[in-house]
Amino acid sequence: MLGINTRLNQLAQQGRSINIALAGIGQMGISLLSQIKDVQGMKVVAVANRHAESISRRLGQHDLIEGKSEVISAGSMAPDKMKAQAELAAKENRMVFTDSLELLTSLDQVDIVMDATGSPEAGAAISMAAIENKKHMVSLNVEADVTVGPMIKKLANKKGLVYTIGAGDEPGALKELYDFATALGFTVVAAGKGKNNPLDRSANPTTLADYSKMKGANPRMMTSFVDGTKSMEEMACFSNATGILPDVRGMHGPQANVDQLTKIFASRQQGGILNRVPAVDFAIGDVAPGVFLVYTTTNQVLKDELKYLLFGDGPNYLLYRPYHLASMEVPLSAALAYFYQQPTITPLGAPRSQVITVAKKDLAKGEFIDSIGGYTVYGLIEEYHRARSQDLIPLGMVEGAELTVDVAKGQPITSKMVNIDEHTPLYKLRKMQEQTYG
């Protein structure tokens, strides 16, 4: 991303900007809006949320409304009049607040659509609307990406558009290390992230209520961190973008500090934990909030040079990024898409990994599955072809699904165990993806 600061400053000096439409104003959306406010040559022109009237209040609490704004709700007027009113507001530098994804993504003023909802269903709808309206798509929604990202990417590319997961979260930060190492000809042994809390598969928003309040986080978001689901989704996203698979279902996730990574994430033959290399994984310990890449080389000259540069005696060496700035880095992905039509991290093509659905507790026939970070299920990463051969349903597909059988705690859920709504954009995209890639 060298030179992006120069390009953005040049754009600002010309009195122009990269215009952003943002869907979702939760914790990530608010942080992203706040960051864009300080970025030269970029501005948010429209914001969508489930309730348009709440946007002014929510943004006002964080001093994120500059100048005037206009609320335009779906159904308040004819679609063509809504569009004309919104276009006029955008041209007059009034920020548009709406509950209409179609309006958000169709504005002529908008260059990039960003998804900060964290919902697979919303992510599918937002992405399809953005592509239909010929807008580049930058997503913070890894939940949607690991469910239908390969299909979204294919449809976007057909129209000459960029679809990418944003910089700043672990998949994007780790992809930077991967690109650096592989461009130099090094061989990847393992790639992973740090997890900064103990793993508790049974965690739920009630058991984590006090912890979430202390951290200032949404209890469901915190639950997805603690029960391991978020790590599964993030590494599945990276897997689909690089082709590197998990060594075992759910990955190993050992306790490991930074100085132990090259020894632990090594092959069994070298005394490590991996049955095969390369592999994606995660570590619980002081690695968080960073990401790591273990690599090797057979070139003796390079081995000597790495030893001289204090990388150790080998055979494995470490690249470690001790931080990720989450939504604060996402504007870089918008600039990369706008200036160079390049993604930060996007699926290669056919899915490599899938996040499967596992019962968090004993579940009864007729019970409905709640959302990611809830009370009923958690996710585990698995190789895509294995998940498909065993008919294991993706975690992103099951919110609101009704169980047709009793399911025991710890049991993976198949598609035959649930009734799901087959009329949603998410379901249609997933079926299209399966027909396309098999």
Side-chain angles (χ1 to χ4, degrees):
M1 297 186 185
L2 295 175
I4 279 184
N5 57 336
T6 301
R7 296 292 298 270
L8 284 169
N9 289 335
Q10 289 172 343
L11 203 64
Q13 289 168 9
Q14 296 165 8
R16 300 164 56 206
S17 62
I18 302 172
N19 292 337
I20 306 296
L22 174 67
I25 52 168
Q27 183 176 341
M28 298 294 280
I30 290 294
S31 175
L32 178 54
L33 273 165
S34 185
Q35 185 66 58
I36 292 175
K37 188 177 178 182
D38 292 336
V39 175
Q40 292 291 312
M42 190 176 294
K43 69 176 181 180
V44 175
V45 299
V47 179
N49 201 48
R50 187 174 300 171
H51 303 292
E53 297 77 11
S54 69
I55 300 176
S56 295
R57 174 181 53 78
R58 180 94 168 106
L59 269 57
Q61 290 172 347
H62 299 274
D63 193 28
L64 292 174
I65 301 176
E66 295 181 336
K68 296 181 179 180
S69 60
E70 184 147 355
V71 177
I72 303 176
S73 296
S76 61
M77 62 188 79
D80 58 338
K81 289 186 178 181
M82 283 177 56
K83 177 84 179 320
Q85 185 171 327
E87 293 286 6
L88 179 61
K91 287 178 183 177
E92 294 179 348
N93 290 318
R94 282 177 282 135
M95 192 181 291
V96 174
F97 300 154
T98 184
D99 52 12
S100 168
L101 293 180
E102 179 58 34
L103 181 61
L104 180 83
T105 58
S106 67
L107 293 177
D108 294 339
Q109 298 284 326
V110 170
D111 301 305
I112 307 281
V113 175
M114 291 184 177
D115 172 17
T117 63
S119 161
E121 189 62 63
I126 294 162
S127 297
M128 292 305 292
I131 292 168
E132 180 65 26
N133 287 294
K134 299 180 181 179
K135 311 294 185 185
H136 296 307
M137 184 74 206
V138 177
S139 178
L140 289 74
N141 193 338
V142 71
E143 295 85 353
D145 181 75
V146 300
T147 309
V148 290
M151 198 67 235
I152 295 172
K153 181 257 182 83
K154 188 176 183 67
L155 294 173
N157 288 176
K158 275 187 177 180
K159 290 198 173 185
L161 301 170
V162 173
Y163 164 73
T164 182
I165 291 294
D169 219 346
E170 283 98 334
L174 187 54
K175 184 64 161 45
E176 291 179 13
L177 299 185
Y178 173 84
D179 288 351
F180 176 79
T182 55
L184 294 176
F186 292 122
T187 300
V188 176
V189 175
K193 57 159 286 184
K195 187 178 187 305
N196 60 4
N197 41 54
L199 181 63
D200 179 4
R201 301 288 190 201
S202 62
N204 63 53
T206 300
T207 62
L208 294 177
D210 292 341
Y211 183 63
S212 301
K213 185 176 181 180
M214 179 185 71
K215 290 286 189 178
N218 179 289
R220 285 187 177 269
M221 179 184 289
M222 184 57 67
T223 298
S224 73
F225 295 158
V226 174
D227 73 10
T229 296
K230 195 71 171 181
S231 293
M232 302 296 146
E233 292 169 332
E234 289 163 344
M235 295 316 299
C237 171
F238 178 80
S239 172
N240 287 335
T242 60
I244 301 177
L245 299 172
D247 185 39
V248 296
R249 176 180 292 180
M251 304 181 286
H252 293 282
Q255 293 280 340
N257 292 327
V258 174
D259 59 1
Q260 300 172 304
L261 293 174
T262 58
K263 302 298 184 184
I264 292 175
F265 290 106
S267 68
R268 294 279 186 187
Q269 292 84 351
Q270 294 175 340
I273 64 173
L274 300 178
N275 301 295
R276 64 178 177 187
V277 296
V280 296
D281 219 299
F282 68 101
I284 301 172
D286 70 1
V287 180
V291 294
F292 66 90
L293 186 133
V294 178
Y295 66 99
T296 190
T297 178
T298 58
N299 187 320
Q300 189 58 49
V301 173
L302 298 184
K303 286 182 177 182
D304 294 341
E305 184 74 3
L306 286 165
K307 183 176 181 178
Y308 174 77
L309 294 171
L310 305 181
F311 277 76
D313 296 324
N316 297 331
Y317 308 91
L318 180 69
L319 292 175
Y320 173 56
R321 190 184 197 247
Y323 65 93
H324 70 282
L325 298 182
S327 52
M328 289 184 279
E329 295 184 55
V330 173
L332 297 175
S333 292
L336 193 64
Y338 180 86
F339 291 124
Y340 305 112
Q341 291 72 56
Q342 291 181 5
T344 300
I345 178 169
T346 194
L348 286 172
R352 269 61 170 185
S353 290
Q354 177 173 304
V355 179
I356 66 171
T357 309
V358 183
K360 186 175 283 189
K361 61 179 183 176
D362 289 340
L363 302 173
K365 178 181 177 180
E367 193 168 348
F368 289 89
I369 296 175
D370 59 1
S371 63
I372 294 168
Y375 295 84
T376 57
V377 294
Y378 61 88
L380 291 178
I381 188 174
E382 177 59 281
E383 289 185 46
Y384 176 75
H385 77 89
R386 287 184 179 172
R388 288 277 289 151
S389 69
Q390 297 173 33
D391 193 33
L392 301 176
I393 194 163
L395 181 65
M397 300 292 295
V398 297
E399 182 176 349
E402 181 183 9
L403 288 163
T404 59
V405 295
D406 293 342
V407 182
K409 179 180 179 180
Q411 182 178 357
I413 296 175
T414 71
S415 64
K416 293 181 177 63
M417 296 177 178
V418 291
N419 286 324
I420 62 176
D421 186 352
E422 298 182 359
H423 303 289
T424 65
L426 180 67
Y427 182 88
K428 292 173 183 177
L429 262 182
R430 180 68 188 195
K431 283 302 175 186
M432 190 187 304
Q433 179 172 291
E434 290 173 353
Q435 290 166 1
T436 299
Y437 293 112

